Amino acid sequence: MMAGSFLLEDLAPLILCVEDEDALRRDLVEEMEDAGYRVIEAAGGVDALDQIEAFRPDLILCDIDMPGLDGYGLLQHLQEKAGDYADVPFLFLTALAERDEVLEGKRRGADDYLVKPVDYDLLRATVDARLRQIRRIREQSRSRIAGAEARLAGGAVDNAARDPAIAAVLDLLSTAILVIDQERQLLFSNQAARSYIAADAEFRLALEQARRGAGSGSFSVWLDSSLSNLEDGDVSSFGFSRNSELAALMVIGCKLNPQDGRSVLALFISGASTGSDLSPQVLASLFGFTPTESLIATALAQGNSPAVVATQLGIAQTTVAFHLRNIFQKTGVSRQASLVALLLTSAANFL
């Protein structure tokens, strides 16, 4: 199936309001929505944990004195998962207004401490300031990543083909990787790909026919379509079925446009080695994904579009978008093609 790249929309920040008083919680939700934020809500700490795992908000606004898991307990739980939620501002909003209580809240690690009755102007200003701070940090990180990607894209393909040091690094990967240009010329193959192609006569024949333009099979059609129709960063996948009893393959193509103007297609052959099959459990261990994020990342790395992933998992596309934003943040990439390459090569060499 073909899958276009997913361009993450510039969504408004997501606020989680945790408050056990129904009327006040509704007021907080309306106030934040009027300020232009997206809002989810929870009536207590346990409910908040479910919302955090499902959506990973950009900021948490939380009461302290609640039945069951109180605000202190919720904050401690998140601190124990610091790698996942270290960049999520946590604001207490509480009736506990004595000086010692405010100091205790800050000692516990809250980023801010606001008291009831709510001063909504101060609330908005505090939320705005905290989110601006986080946005600056993330933009700086993305800028560094984008600069590194741009430097690599300028000559990555040629360097891999000509530089023995770079080729040696790629040969260490157990994932089979091929790079083909628009004329179907094979620019690069790592050791895993060369070994696999040499051992699998059926796939080798199909690949050679597709590269020569002599094949009329579905693999040749898919390769032509991927080279011609995909945009930079797009991903597509092809299930290579067998006439023999050998196991089927998943071939994942990532379109790349180096700065020299050429377009190339990077092919990852999933199933060509025992190390190249993705496992949600492995991805969770490597990147700190939640269970849902691991399932979505696995499906995306198999070349599926976010719409297809939503259908497969029985969830809304907006839910996939929430999780994909978190996946991009945790992996440090910004497009599906980069995600595929990172997940396949990382998971392969973890096993």
Side-chain angles (χ1 to χ4, degrees):
M1 70 184 69
M2 301 297 295
S5 62
F6 179 76
L7 299 177
L8 193 61
E9 296 181 47
D10 187 15
L11 297 172
L14 180 68
I15 310 295
L16 170 61
C17 292
V18 189
E19 170 60 58
D20 63 322
E21 295 182 21
D22 293 343
L24 177 55
R25 188 174 66 253
R26 285 195 297 270
D27 289 343
L28 291 170
V29 169
E30 290 177 3
E31 187 70 23
M32 292 293 95
E33 288 178 340
D34 288 344
Y37 297 115
R38 296 173 299 134
V39 186
I40 53 178
E41 56 185 286
V46 175
D47 186 21
L49 289 176
D50 292 337
Q51 296 281 43
I52 291 167
E53 182 172 347
F55 297 107
R56 194 184 189 278
D58 295 295
L59 181 142
I60 299 170
L61 186 62
C62 185
D63 189 16
I64 292 178
D65 190 8
M66 299 180 294
L69 183 66
D70 65 8
Y72 289 142
L74 178 61
L75 176 58
Q76 181 179 352
H77 180 87
L78 298 183
Q79 289 170 335
E80 291 170 354
K81 293 179 173 290
D84 292 334
Y85 304 109
D87 62 343
V88 178
F90 194 101
L91 281 59
F92 277 136
L93 179 60
T94 175
L96 303 177
E98 296 297 326
R99 179 176 182 274
D100 288 345
E101 293 166 336
V102 174
L103 291 175
E104 178 64 16
K106 290 183 176 291
R107 289 193 187 102
R108 297 275 189 129
D111 295 288
D112 261 305
Y113 193 107
L114 303 175
V115 298
K116 301 174 183 177
V118 181
D119 181 334
Y120 285 105
D121 289 335
L122 178 60
L123 174 62
R124 282 194 182 197
T126 302
V127 169
D128 290 346
R130 285 295 174 182
L131 289 173
R132 281 198 304 271
Q133 181 183 41
I134 294 300
R135 187 161 54 247
R136 284 196 298 269
I137 293 171
R138 290 175 180 172
E139 287 174 351
Q140 290 172 357
S141 177
R142 282 195 294 267
S143 178
R144 289 194 294 270
I145 292 169
E149 285 185 343
R151 290 192 295 273
L152 289 172
V157 173
D158 284 337
N159 287 340
R162 294 196 293 240
D163 190 324
I166 294 178
V169 170
L170 294 176
D171 282 341
L172 294 175
L173 300 176
S174 57
T175 299
I177 304 172
L178 305 170
V179 179
I180 296 174
D181 67 11
Q182 284 185 309
E183 285 71 43
R184 304 187 192 87
Q185 295 300 307
L186 182 62
L187 301 181
F188 176 78
S189 60
N190 68 347
Q191 180 60 50
R194 295 192 297 272
S195 298
Y196 182 75
I197 291 171
D200 187 333
E202 190 173 348
F203 180 75
R204 181 172 68 250
L205 176 61
L207 179 63
E208 285 302 314
Q209 289 178 337
R211 287 183 51 226
R212 294 198 308 269
S216 58
S218 55
F219 180 68
S220 182
V221 172
W222 171 79
L223 190 64
D224 281 343
S225 179
S226 298
L227 286 166
S228 301
N229 299 329
L230 294 183
E231 300 293 334
D232 181 33
D234 282 1
V235 175
S236 64
S237 62
F238 179 83
F240 188 85
S241 58
R242 300 291 195 166
N243 295 320
S244 64
E245 295 182 357
L246 293 175
L249 298 174
M250 176 69 73
V251 183
I252 301 165
C254 300
K255 187 70 170 288
L256 304 172
N257 290 335
Q259 291 178 347
D260 60 7
R262 290 179 304 160
S263 292
V264 300
L265 190 69
L267 301 179
F268 297 85
I269 309 173
S270 182
S273 71
T274 56
S276 61
D277 292 324
L278 284 174
S279 161
Q281 291 75 25
V282 168
L283 296 185
S285 299
L286 284 172
F287 300 103
F289 291 160
T290 65
T292 302
E293 289 168 359
S294 296
L295 290 174
I296 290 173
T298 300
L300 290 169
Q302 291 170 345
N304 297 303
S305 70
V308 171
V309 174
T311 300
Q312 288 179 341
L313 299 182
I315 57 179
Q317 290 191 47
T318 53
T319 302
V320 174
F322 281 130
H323 290 301
L324 184 53
R325 178 186 59 189
N326 300 337
I327 290 167
F328 283 160
Q329 289 173 351
K330 291 179 180 181
T331 57
V333 301
S334 58
R335 59 182 185 171
Q336 191 175 345
S338 301
L339 182 67
V340 168
L342 176 66
L343 297 184
L344 285 174
T345 55
S346 298
N349 291 279
F350 177 85
L351 296 173

